[in-house]
Amino acid sequence: MTENPISNAVAVRDNGPAAQIEQYRDEYAALVPSHVNADQWIRLAVGAIRGNKDLLEAAHTDVGVFLRELKTAARLGLEPGTEQFYLTPRKSKAHRGQKIIKGIVGYQGIVELIYRAGAVSSVIVEVVRTDDTFRYVIGRDGKPVHEIDWFGGDRGEMVGVYAYAIMKDGATSKVVVLNRRQVMEAKAKSDGRNSEYSPWNTNEESMWLKTAVRRLAKWVPTSAEYMREQLRAQAEVAGELTAAPSVAGVPAMPQPTALDDADPDDEGPLEGELVD
């Protein structure tokens, strides 16, 4: 009896990583935040893996690792396979050099978490290039002045990056400013910086932006902190806690963020990076 190549192809497809996502649909639906459409999230995850041969091959190497990375995206409520949450093939020593899937929170994902907390009205994060004009003096300037000649052609190489947020009450958050050396130090801590699939090599500007906004996230609320503060406020109303005093115009102290346990590719293992 001859084998039917079409039937075989269907069998492989139905038992592959995409089918595994569908199999655990209810679990992923339970993980995503309530404001995220679970069906749309599932479609994005399935589409990302089916539409990329390299990703599909890497997912086949260890489907369990792939499903675990998707759990991180689901828990954060970020869209897998987009600039919110990259899915990248990485060579793994534990898998004898074969490629597996690794998830990376993108700068758009961090910005999404900041907005979702509800404390800021806008997030500004921009790269500075050699032909730009940039001025910012700590203690004198409320926020940076960044002038760009949008119609002057090439703006030159990236020399720095900055990020800050405008809070709902009109105050300006701490301003994060990083030069090239500081960005390269962050890159050096990334486990996958040398991978051809790493965003550091496929979309370097987005990783400069991520480095800045990742540090900004320590100074402004993200979704996890927002939920904790909501619970604290409820406890205060119930008389269980005493509200901590606040000083108007003084930036908050650095705080743990929703990314500390989930962001695997920016600040090295100390920030929760998953390594083989």
Side-chain angles (χ1 to χ4, degrees):
M1 181 177 178
T2 59
E3 294 185 353
N4 187 329
I6 297 178
S7 298
N8 289 343
V10 171
V12 170
R13 182 193 67 190
D14 290 345
N15 291 295
Q20 294 286 324
I21 299 172
E22 295 285 359
Q23 180 180 342
Y24 292 102
R25 169 183 288 270
D26 291 344
E27 185 173 346
Y28 287 123
L31 282 173
V32 298
S34 58
H35 72 279
V36 175
N37 184 306
D39 288 335
Q40 182 177 349
W41 190 94
I42 294 291
R43 286 196 296 271
L44 280 171
V46 171
I49 203 67
R50 282 184 174 166
N52 188 305
K53 180 180 178 181
D54 290 334
L55 282 180
L56 186 60
E57 179 183 343
H60 270 293
T61 300
D62 192 326
V63 175
V65 169
F66 169 56
L67 297 178
R68 182 192 68 193
E69 299 296 270
L70 285 183
K71 278 189 175 182
T72 299
R75 181 163 56 86
L76 292 174
L78 301 179
E79 299 176 348
T82 71
E83 289 191 356
Q84 287 190 4
F85 192 89
Y86 294 100
L87 295 173
T88 64
R90 297 290 178 85
K91 289 184 178 180
S92 167
K93 293 180 181 178
H95 296 78
R96 298 182 179 181
Q98 289 184 293
K99 293 174 183 175
I100 61 172
I101 294 292
K102 189 168 186 178
I104 302 172
V105 179
Y107 91 91
Q108 290 187 7
I110 302 175
V111 170
E112 167 66 17
L113 293 177
I114 293 174
Y115 275 124
R116 194 183 300 165
V120 309
S121 60
S122 61
V123 177
I124 295 86
V125 53
E126 294 287 347
V127 164
V128 180
R129 295 180 177 269
T130 51
D131 290 342
D132 297 349
T133 298
F134 181 83
R135 297 187 302 275
Y136 177 66
V137 177
I138 297 176
R140 185 195 72 183
D141 302 328
K143 49 189 150 182
V145 174
H146 184 195
E147 298 176 356
I148 300 171
D149 182 0
W150 294 109
F151 307 107
D154 187 5
R155 291 167 50 201
E157 295 183 357
M158 294 183 289
V159 294
V161 63
Y162 64 96
Y164 64 93
I166 303 298
M167 314 306 289
K168 286 286 182 68
D169 62 3
T172 300
S173 73
K174 176 180 175 63
V175 178
V176 174
V177 181
L178 303 173
N179 59 29
R180 171 178 284 276
R181 176 184 59 80
Q182 291 169 309
V183 174
M184 291 301 101
E185 287 175 352
K187 177 181 178 180
K189 295 177 182 178
S190 170
D191 177 57
R193 63 189 180 277
N194 295 322
S195 168
E196 62 180 305
Y197 300 100
S198 169
W200 280 109
N201 296 313
T202 62
N203 195 348
E204 185 181 13
E205 181 171 338
S206 73
M207 293 305 287
W208 281 59
L209 296 170
K210 177 188 173 180
T211 303
V213 79
R214 177 67 173 80
R215 298 190 185 184
L216 173 65
K218 295 179 181 294
W219 295 90
V220 297
T222 58
S223 54
E225 285 71 58
Y226 178 67
M227 293 304 296
R228 283 198 287 268
E229 288 303 312
Q230 292 291 91
L231 294 175
R232 171 179 283 275
Q234 293 172 14
E236 289 169 1
V237 171
E240 299 172 6
L241 292 173
T242 302
S246 60
V247 180
V250 177
M253 290 296 290
Q255 55 188 328
T257 76
L259 298 166
D260 282 338
D261 296 324
D263 184 16
D265 200 73
D266 185 46
E267 300 289 348
L270 291 179
E271 295 289 343
E273 184 170 353
L274 303 176
V275 295
D276 292 331

